Amino acid sequence: MSFRLPAGQHFGAIAKRYDIAGFTLTQTVYAPNLHLPTHAHERACFCLILRGSYVERFGQMELVCQPASLLFRPPGASHSDHFHNVESQCFLIETETAWLNDVREQGARRTTLVGELDPGAGLLGLRGDGDHGRAAGGGERL
């Protein structure tokens, strides 16, 4: 069963949180070996992995997320997470729907970090060395 978390709520311990101009910035800490059930978030979210690692399952896709990986999750995208045997830390940037709609409307007139922000496109990833990659089945490493 999947459920939807409201804006600003996450399973990890929230170390810091700021609401600024339509964005919610949150620093979260996750315990070693933590398994999160299938869930979704109300808002679109960028997730930068600062420390530790985990596997995120999104449908049939599986991503191995390590430090300096950047993920984009569309609003309502169901996923589950399994954190590895060390404490993990993430920096999350949630966007209001109005901002996401504005980005869609502007299209090619704006440059984004990870490509087109289309909720139907699924997860996008960016490694710390600048190598872009779309999630694919088989556990693509970001």
Side-chain angles (χ1 to χ4, degrees):
M1 178 178 168
S2 178
F3 53 94
R4 183 176 279 204
L5 295 173
Q9 290 193 4
H10 302 277
F11 285 106
I14 295 176
K16 295 179 185 176
R17 179 181 160 184
Y18 302 96
D19 292 298
I20 303 170
F23 295 89
T24 299
L25 312 176
T26 309
Q27 184 177 346
T28 55
V29 179
Y30 300 90
N33 299 310
L34 179 64
H35 291 264
L36 300 182
T38 300
H39 64 282
H41 299 269
E42 179 180 313
R43 294 166 95 187
C45 181
F46 291 91
C47 177
L48 175 63
I49 293 80
L50 301 173
R51 184 176 67 215
S53 61
Y54 66 96
V55 173
E56 179 155 310
R57 286 192 176 88
F58 178 77
Q60 296 300 314
M61 294 181 288
E62 188 173 274
L63 299 172
V64 176
C65 304
Q66 300 178 335
S69 296
L70 177 66
L71 299 177
F72 171 75
R73 290 186 204 107
S78 291
H79 62 283
S80 63
D81 303 291
H82 172 223
F83 291 85
H84 295 147
N85 61 352
V86 297
E87 182 180 87
S88 296
Q89 188 175 55
C90 298
F91 178 68
L92 306 165
I93 303 171
E94 295 176 273
T95 66
E96 286 187 350
T97 303
W99 181 86
L100 194 60
N101 289 338
D102 184 47
V103 170
R104 275 194 219 112
E105 288 172 12
Q106 296 299 319
R109 289 181 266 175
R110 290 200 181 176
T111 301
T112 65
L113 291 175
V114 293
E116 184 178 343
L117 301 178
D118 179 355
L123 297 175
L124 297 175
L126 175 68
R127 286 197 328 209
D129 62 5
D131 181 28
H132 292 75
R134 183 177 293 275
E140 182 172 330
R141 186 176 219 103
L142 290 180

